[in-house]
């Protein structure tokens, strides 16, 4: 059986140039050099809003480069990195990316699928230490919380504000209310069963 060849540096950049607002590289194999090329291209790209890197076979070095590039990219709103197995350096870079990039609205780390049911897609490699496994869980929780908060904001809070703007007087939504609504949403979907 022939092994699948990884996309080259130039192929990755060509796909990025032709992507428009969505780039799906899911299940394509991309080397660390290809990931670095994509990271460089993302730094200046302001048109891409959705990036799927599902099961690209990226390793620690490549995922770290992508996470660092995404820290300052304000145009990407959706990111899918299911099926990859970052090491300790990449996990820390991914956590920092989520902490610093407020424009990412939907981050699919593989903890939940489209129906938000538990899945085992994005998990530490079996030989990883318990400490690294805990860092993975932290990343996944941050990603899921961000996604759910933005989902609540887009589908519940904004319509509520628009329909009741006179009642609220244009006030900001208190953080504890936002947290309460987010927690209610999570509990209603059964998503917090093993996470609290």
């Amino acid at each position: 059986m022939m092994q699948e060849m990884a996309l080259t540096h130039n192929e990755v950049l060509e796909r990025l140039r032709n992507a428009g607002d969505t780039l799906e590289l899911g299940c394509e194999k991309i080397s660390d050099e290809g990931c670095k090329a994509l990271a460089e291209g993302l730094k200046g790209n302001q048109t891409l809003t959705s990036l799927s890197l599902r099961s690209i076979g990226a390793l620690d070095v490549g995922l770290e480069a992508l996470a660092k590039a995404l820290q300052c990219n304000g145009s990407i709103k959706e990111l899918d990195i299911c099926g990859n197995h970052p090491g300790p350096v990449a996990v820390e870079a991914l956590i920092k990316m989520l902490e610093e990039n407020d424009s990412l609205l939907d981050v699919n780390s593989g903890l939940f699928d489209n129906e938000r049911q538990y899945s085992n897609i994005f998990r530490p490699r079996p030989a990883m230490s318990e400490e690294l496994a805990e860092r993975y869980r932290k990343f996944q929780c941050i990603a899921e919380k961000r996604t759910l908060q933005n989902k609540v904001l887009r589908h519940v809070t904004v319509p509520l504000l628009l329909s009741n703007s006179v009642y609220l007087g244009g006030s900001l939504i208190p953080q504890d209310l936002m947290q309460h609504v987010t927690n209610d949403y999570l509990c209603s979907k059964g998503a917090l069963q093993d996470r609290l």
Side-chain angles (χ1 to χ4, degrees), residues 82-98:
C82 284
N84 293 294
H85 301 282
V89 174
V91 169
E92 293 306 319
L94 288 165
I95 290 170
K96 188 172 182 179
M97 171 197 71
L98 289 177

Side-chain angles (χ1 to χ4, degrees), residues 12-196:
V12 170
L13 289 178
E14 183 65 26
R15 294 231 185 144
L16 180 59
R17 277 191 291 275
N18 295 327
D21 65 352
T22 301
L23 178 60
E24 292 196 25
L25 295 172
C27 298
E28 298 277 356
K29 296 302 173 207
I30 302 175
S31 67
D32 282 341
E33 290 306 312
C35 287
K36 289 178 185 178
L38 180 58
E40 274 305 308
L42 289 173
K43 287 180 183 175
N45 185 299
Q46 296 301 309
T47 58
L48 196 66
T49 60
S50 179
L51 177 61
S52 175
L53 302 172
R54 181 182 289 256
S55 301
I56 62 171
L59 300 175
D60 214 29
V61 173
L63 287 170
E64 177 191 18
L66 287 167
K68 285 181 176 181
L70 290 169
Q71 282 177 16
C72 58
N73 183 302
S75 66
I76 295 180
K77 307 296 182 229
E78 298 174 8
L79 175 65
D80 184 348
I81 55 172
C82 284
N84 293 294
H85 301 282
V89 174
V91 169
E92 293 306 319
L94 288 165
I95 290 170
K96 188 172 182 179
M97 171 197 71
L98 289 177
E99 291 173 344
E100 293 186 12
N101 185 332
D102 293 331
S103 68
L104 282 168
L105 300 177
D106 189 0
V107 180
N108 187 357
S109 66
L111 181 61
F112 295 85
D113 63 16
N114 290 336
E115 276 68 281
R116 301 295 183 213
Q117 301 296 318
Y118 188 75
S119 75
N120 296 318
I121 296 171
F122 185 80
R123 301 194 106 191
R125 289 175 271 195
M128 293 294 172
S129 68
E130 186 56 37
E131 182 181 341
L132 181 57
E134 186 59 35
R135 299 304 289 167
Y136 275 107
R137 285 189 285 278
K138 177 180 180 179
F139 167 72
Q140 291 173 318
C141 287
I142 292 169
E144 187 61 20
K145 182 178 178 184
R146 165 84 56 86
T147 298
L148 288 172
Q149 283 177 334
N150 283 305
K151 186 178 239 182
V152 168
L153 184 64
R154 290 190 312 257
H155 299 288
V156 177
T157 309
V158 171
L160 178 69
L161 283 175
L162 292 175
S163 65
N164 297 301
S165 59
V166 173
Y167 172 74
L168 293 172
S171 303
L172 292 175
I173 299 167
Q175 187 63 34
D176 59 338
L177 175 60
M178 180 66 147
Q179 186 63 43
H180 178 73
V181 172
T182 302
N183 286 341
D184 283 351
Y185 181 81
L186 282 168
C187 290
S188 72
K189 296 297 185 184
L192 283 181
Q193 61 188 0
D194 295 325
R195 307 311 302 164
L196 294 178

